[in-house]
Amino acid sequence: QVQLVESGGGLVQPGGSLRLSCAASGRTLTMYRVGWFRQAPGKEREFVARITWSVGNTLYADSVKGRFTISRDNAKNMVDLQMNSLKSEDTAVYYCAAGPLTTGQYEYWGQGTQVTVSS
């Protein structure tokens, strides 16, 4: 079992920055991928970014490429999402998720953290 806890959400003005963190516990994440997803009101959950734990390969949604950066801290068992140049359309609940590379599925999910971009 993997437990995931997100933190760092809040209210920020357009053009501002936020850093989200995902703390993982329960097991080491070797051979896992960890991703960030988001869900805006009235919309389906969408993929934002992911990183493979062992090698650190990253992948981003086109909508956030160049503005968001995902990174991991192996020693702390944490994954961060640095979000810059935020737009109103980035407003959503952001979720951290993890899953083994062998299945390609995200099996574990955090509770989510709210990000609101508004002036």
Side-chain angles (χ1 to χ4, degrees):
Q1 287 287 343
V2 178
Q3 292 79 44
L4 303 171
V5 178
E6 303 96 336
S7 62
L11 173 64
V12 64
Q13 293 186 343
S17 298
L18 275 179
R19 188 176 185 90
L20 305 183
S21 293
C22 174
S25 61
R27 61 157 291 154
T28 59
L29 297 177
T30 305
M31 301 304 292
Y32 270 60
R33 64 167 60 85
V34 178
W36 284 95
F37 293 76
R38 66 187 182 186
Q39 187 166 20
K43 295 187 177 181
E44 293 188 355
R45 186 171 58 197
E46 64 174 0
F47 168 79
V48 175
R50 71 102 172 105
I51 189 167
T52 58
W53 193 261
S54 298
V55 180
N57 289 333
T58 59
L59 181 68
Y60 297 91
D62 287 343
S63 59
V64 306
K65 202 171 295 183
R67 300 188 298 123
F68 290 11
T69 302
I70 189 171
S71 61
R72 87 251 190 256
D73 186 326
N74 296 54
K76 296 181 179 179
N77 235 30
M78 293 187 68
V79 173
D80 287 350
L81 184 69
Q82 177 66 41
M83 306 185 296
N84 299 327
S85 302
L86 283 161
K87 306 174 182 180
S88 57
E89 50 263 46
D90 295 317
T91 295
V93 177
Y94 283 71
Y95 298 91
C96 177
L101 294 175
T102 53
T103 67
Q105 301 295 319
Y106 288 93
E107 299 179 358
Y108 306 100
W109 293 81
Q111 293 299 309
T113 184
Q114 176 70 47
V115 171
T116 302
V117 184
S118 174
S119 55

